[in-house]
């Protein structure tokens, strides 16, 4: 066992003395050491209940003969960090989470690890650490929040974001918005739609590193606690069998996860996180892998913000396992891959049941023939851009509009909420990429304002930043190369014409080459005074089309 480095032999008497200072007995010291990585927090609604999840994991580890040792990890609530300087710190936290876990796990020589994430950057950060360390490991998330209820209608956090735009448009009163904000998020769990946290928790299950139910069992259900106990027991089984994360998260397993991504209509942030996680396993994924799968796999689930269903509906319909059973019918999955259950995916799916054909549509009645995400390229995004096409209205799938250019999110939001954007405009928000932001902020506030003001049928948004999983509409992000690296988005001017053709996978700036050459000659990268984490991230991060991970 790895932990023998800290407890075996005469020379380790001081180490054992320190372990006994923690209250451990000789019997506990003799057992395998299992690190329980807990992102519990009193800040994040998705994490406020994780103490009980961790206690259940530890109970499972003890039942199976291990000695659990819990340690903490930071987390950021993207909703609270949204639309101010705090959002610059969200994406960089992913790398810090992975690094900090590596530091603690290697320093203390754990034999196995159980990861307890829930929200946006914690899930991919923990997955990156699991594959980097490659000791037997399993992930058990805190689970999704239940939907709220507002005057008889199901609501979630995005309902509140869009409510701000509705107040500005005069279709909701301030009093109604205050009532809505009090009931949209009813308690613990990751926000109730197919936003980034739930997307990544579902993909963790599809990847095989989480047990069946990881992505969809609601946070407040006792079944979530039972799942956590099972995870604690299962990690001991994986340790005994010598099954490691890279044995599970193979290239074929990542392809399965991307297929599920397309069927569910997940957040565009998966296009950042999944390649960064795969990189830690020595697997190279790029935007082409996502687009190829999108053309092959239909969109089977219409979940908020693009549709009427929430995670609790997907849970009751059979969950991620049921979606994978449907995809197996289409021969879109490799069923031979190993999973954290200790069984193959084929064996797991024997017990999966599809319980609602509206929440998980049959292949013949898919919501869309193509998957939820599309990758666009063209003169505005030579290296690619990303759109959640399942959330785009039909009228906006092909559109040529007039550029309205902003060099920050704040300046764009001010004009949008003041009524300064008109039908036919393409809002361009730049210098918000990984290096230019830095930190690649999410643009949920401007997209929600556009939708709330009823402009999502007529106005598109293009940015080198990114979007929350809660974004809907013709919102095109990750535009690469980003403005700070001199990408074409840096050269756009007010009044330019931009052509969007999602079915053709095109995003083009309709300005002739000679004019672009003149603009490029005059272009200078704006200077920003940076310190600390953001200074390092701006220096070390790669572009969005490479997952915005650190450069080696």
């Amino acid at each position: 066992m790895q932990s023998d480095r800290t407890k075996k032999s005469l020379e380790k008497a001081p180490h054992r003395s320190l372990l006994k200072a923690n209250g451990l007995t000789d019997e506990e010291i003799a057992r395998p050491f299992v690190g329980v990585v807990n992102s519990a927090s009193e800040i994040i609604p998705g994490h406020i209940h994780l103490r009980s999840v961790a206690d259940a994991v530890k109970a499972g580890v003890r039942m199976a003969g291990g000695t659990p040792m819990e340690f903490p990890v930071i987390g950021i609530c993207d909703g609270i960090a949204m639309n101010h300087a705090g959002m610059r710190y969200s994406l960089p936290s992913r790398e810090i989470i992975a690094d900090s876990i590596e530091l603690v796990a290697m320093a203390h020589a754990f034999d196995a690890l159980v990861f307890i994430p829930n929200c946006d950057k914690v899930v991919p950060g923990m997955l990156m650490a699991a594959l980097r360390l490659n000791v037997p490991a399993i992930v058990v998330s805190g689970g999704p929040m239940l939907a709220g209820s507002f005057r008889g209608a199901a609501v979630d956090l995005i309902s509140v974001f869009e409510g701000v735009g509705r107040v500005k448009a005069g279709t909701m009163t301030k009093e109604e918005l205050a009532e809505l904000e009090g009931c949209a998020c009813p308690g613990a769990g990751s926000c109730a739609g197919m936003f980034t946290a739930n997307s990544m928790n579902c993909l963790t299950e599809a990847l095989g590193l989480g047990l069946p139910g990881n992505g969809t069992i609601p946070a407040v259900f006792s079944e979530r606690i039972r799942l956590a106990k099972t995870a604690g027991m299962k990690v001991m089984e994986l340790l005994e069998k010598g099954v490691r994360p890279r044995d599970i998260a193979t290239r074929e397993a990542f392809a399965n996860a991307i297929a599920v991504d397309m069927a569910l209509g997940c957040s565009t942030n998966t296009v950042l996180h999944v390649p960064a996680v795969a990189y830690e396993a020595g697997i190279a994924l790029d935007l082409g892998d996502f687009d190829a799968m999108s053309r092959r796999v239909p969109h089977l689930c219409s979940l908020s913000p693009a549709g009427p269903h929430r995670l609790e509906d997907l849970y009751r319909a059979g969950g991620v396992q049921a979606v994978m059973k449907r995809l197996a019918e289409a021969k879109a999955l490799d069923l031979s891959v190993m999973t954290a259950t200790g069984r193959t995916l084929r064996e797991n799916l024997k017990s999966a049941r599809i319980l609602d054909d509206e929440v998980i549509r049959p292949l013949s009645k898919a919501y869309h023939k193509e998957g939820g995400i599309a990758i666009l390229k063209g003169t505005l995004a030579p290296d690619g851009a990303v759109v959640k096409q399942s959330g785009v209205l039909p009228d906006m799938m092909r559109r040529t509009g007039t550029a309205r250019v902003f060099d920050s999110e704040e300046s764009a939001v001010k004009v949008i909420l003041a009524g300064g954007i008109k039908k036919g405009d393409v809002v361009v928000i730049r210098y918000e990429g990984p290096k230019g932001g830095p930190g690649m902020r999410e643009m949920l506030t401007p997209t929600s304002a556009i939708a709330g003001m009823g402009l999502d049928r007529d106005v598109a948004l293009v940015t080198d930043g990114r979007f929350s999983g809660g974004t809907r509409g013709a919102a095109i992000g990750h535009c690469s190369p980003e403005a700070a690296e001199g990408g074409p988005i840096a050269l756009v001017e007010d009044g330019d014409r931009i052509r969007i053709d999602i079915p053709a996978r095109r995003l083009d700036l309709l300005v002739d080459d000679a004019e672009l050459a003149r603009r490029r000659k005059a272009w200078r990268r704006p200077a920003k005074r940076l310190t600390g984490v953001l200074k390092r991230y701006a220096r070390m991060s790669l572009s969005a089309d490479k997952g915005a991970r650190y450069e080696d």
Side-chain angles (χ1 to χ4, degrees):
M1 293 189 295
Q2 268 200 160
S3 61
D4 287 349
R5 301 202 304 260
T6 68
K7 61 189 182 185
K8 284 285 184 77
S9 79
L10 176 68
E11 292 80 11
K12 296 304 186 290
H15 304 63
R16 292 191 295 272
S17 181
L18 289 168
L19 291 168
K20 288 180 178 181
N22 293 331
L24 295 183
T25 64
D26 286 331
E27 289 80 7
E28 288 173 304
I29 292 172
R31 295 171 181 170
F33 287 172
V34 179
V36 178
V37 191
N38 188 3
S39 57
S41 166
E42 293 184 353
I43 308 168
I44 308 172
H47 294 215
I48 57 174
H49 64 305
L50 295 187
R51 170 64 56 201
S52 60
V53 176
D55 288 343
V57 167
K58 289 185 284 186
V61 170
R62 291 190 186 101
M63 284 190 286
T67 297
M69 298 180 183
E70 182 182 337
F71 64 92
V73 155
I74 64 165
I76 289 174
C77 176
D78 279 23
I80 296 173
M82 197 72 65
N83 191 229
H84 60 87
M87 178 48 71
R88 300 194 192 283
Y89 292 85
S90 175
L91 186 56
S93 76
R94 183 188 71 182
E95 318 305 314
I96 291 170
I97 289 164
D99 290 350
S100 65
I101 294 169
E102 178 187 4
L103 291 168
V104 175
M106 292 302 294
H108 299 98
F110 288 112
D111 299 303
L113 295 163
V114 180
F115 296 93
I116 308 174
N118 216 26
C119 290
D120 291 18
K121 307 308 168 295
V122 184
V123 186
M126 287 190 175
L127 288 171
M128 290 165 69
L131 288 164
R132 185 185 301 173
L133 294 165
N134 202 35
V135 300
I138 197 167
V139 179
V140 56
S141 77
M145 186 184 292
L146 295 175
S149 179
F150 176 69
R151 301 185 179 185
V155 292
D156 54 40
L157 178 65
I158 304 311
S159 309
V160 188
F161 270 99
E162 294 186 359
V164 175
R166 291 179 62 190
V167 170
K168 289 291 185 179
T171 59
M172 174 179 272
T173 67
K174 290 182 179 179
E175 292 74 21
E176 288 171 331
L177 180 60
E179 181 184 344
L180 173 61
E181 75 178 57
C183 61
C185 299
S190 46
C191 297
M194 190 50 77
F195 315 141
T196 303
N198 290 324
S199 294
M200 290 305 301
N201 283 326
C202 287
L203 295 193
T204 298
E205 182 178 336
L207 187 60
L209 290 174
L211 295 174
N214 180 72
T216 58
I217 298 171
V220 296
F221 282 18
S222 62
E223 188 180 353
R224 175 63 55 180
I225 298 301
R226 297 196 297 274
L227 184 76
K229 289 179 181 176
T230 303
M233 291 186 282
K234 279 291 179 184
V235 80
M236 295 301 295
E237 183 181 316
L238 296 174
L239 176 60
E240 182 181 353
K241 293 179 177 178
V243 178
R244 298 170 181 266
R246 293 184 198 174
D247 299 324
I248 294 171
T250 60
R251 175 171 289 280
E252 292 76 17
F254 275 102
N256 287 349
I258 295 172
V260 171
D261 187 344
M262 298 305 150
L264 289 175
C266 288
S267 163
T268 52
N269 278 315
T270 62
V271 179
L272 283 177
H273 299 322
V274 173
V277 173
Y279 177 81
E280 299 291 346
I283 296 169
L285 297 177
D286 60 30
L287 298 182
D289 294 300
F290 287 83
D291 201 57
M293 192 65 76
S294 178
R295 294 180 183 276
R296 180 182 172 196
V297 173
H299 177 219
L300 301 178
C301 303
S302 188
L303 297 155
S304 175
H309 302 132
R310 268 75 183 180
L311 265 290
E312 62 203 77
D313 300 310
L314 181 59
Y315 162 74
R316 294 188 180 100
V320 172
Q321 299 298 300
V323 174
M324 297 184 85
K325 194 176 188 75
R326 192 74 91 194
L327 292 176
E329 296 172 9
K331 302 189 184 307
L333 302 177
D334 186 324
L335 302 180
S336 68
V337 296
M338 178 57 64
T339 72
T341 65
R343 302 187 298 270
T344 65
L345 179 59
R346 178 178 286 105
E347 292 171 309
N348 289 348
L349 294 185
K350 288 179 181 178
S351 59
R353 291 188 299 160
I354 301 165
L355 302 175
D356 190 324
D357 282 342
E358 185 61 21
V359 176
I360 305 172
R361 288 262 182 107
L363 298 168
S364 60
K365 293 181 62 180
Y367 284 98
H368 300 98
K369 291 182 180 179
E370 292 188 345
I373 289 173
I375 306 301
L376 314 183
K377 292 190 176 184
T379 57
L380 187 53
D383 293 340
V386 182
V387 64
K388 188 172 182 174
Q389 63 175 340
S390 58
V392 179
L393 293 168
D395 290 349
M396 293 298 293
M397 294 293 283
R398 290 187 173 91
R399 178 61 61 104
T400 300
T402 302
R404 292 293 307 279
V405 183
F406 302 93
D407 287 347
S408 71
E409 179 190 6
E410 289 86 351
S411 60
V413 169
K414 184 177 180 180
V415 172
I416 293 168
L417 292 179
I421 299 300
K422 63 181 185 296
K423 293 180 179 181
D425 284 347
V426 177
V427 176
V428 177
I429 304 177
R430 63 191 179 192
Y431 298 108
E432 292 285 7
K435 291 182 180 296
M440 202 180 183
R441 289 193 290 180
E442 289 183 343
M443 302 290 151
L444 180 57
T445 298
T447 58
S448 295
I450 288 168
M453 296 175 77
L455 292 171
D456 53 325
R457 292 184 177 276
D458 300 287
V459 172
L461 191 152
V462 178
T463 180
D464 54 6
R466 60 194 178 94
F467 296 112
S468 161
T471 290
R472 63 186 175 95
I476 301 167
H478 307 198
C479 195
S480 300
E482 63 175 291
E485 293 190 317
I489 192 171
L491 309 180
V492 184
E493 295 182 357
D494 280 342
D496 287 349
R497 300 289 283 171
I498 294 174
R499 183 169 58 216
I500 299 164
D501 191 336
I502 296 173
R505 304 298 202 264
R506 294 290 305 182
L507 179 63
D508 290 300
L509 176 60
L510 304 182
V511 175
D512 66 61
D513 291 344
E515 174 61 17
L516 288 178
R518 184 192 66 78
R519 294 180 189 179
R520 182 170 297 285
K521 188 174 181 179
W523 176 78
R524 298 293 183 272
R525 176 178 174 173
K528 291 187 177 182
R529 288 191 62 190
L530 301 173
T531 60
V533 170
L534 295 184
K535 184 175 182 179
R536 290 193 296 275
Y537 188 78
R539 184 176 70 247
M540 297 170 65
S541 62
L542 295 171
S543 65
D545 63 295
K546 295 177 176 62
R549 59 176 173 80
Y550 281 164
E551 188 172 12
D552 290 333

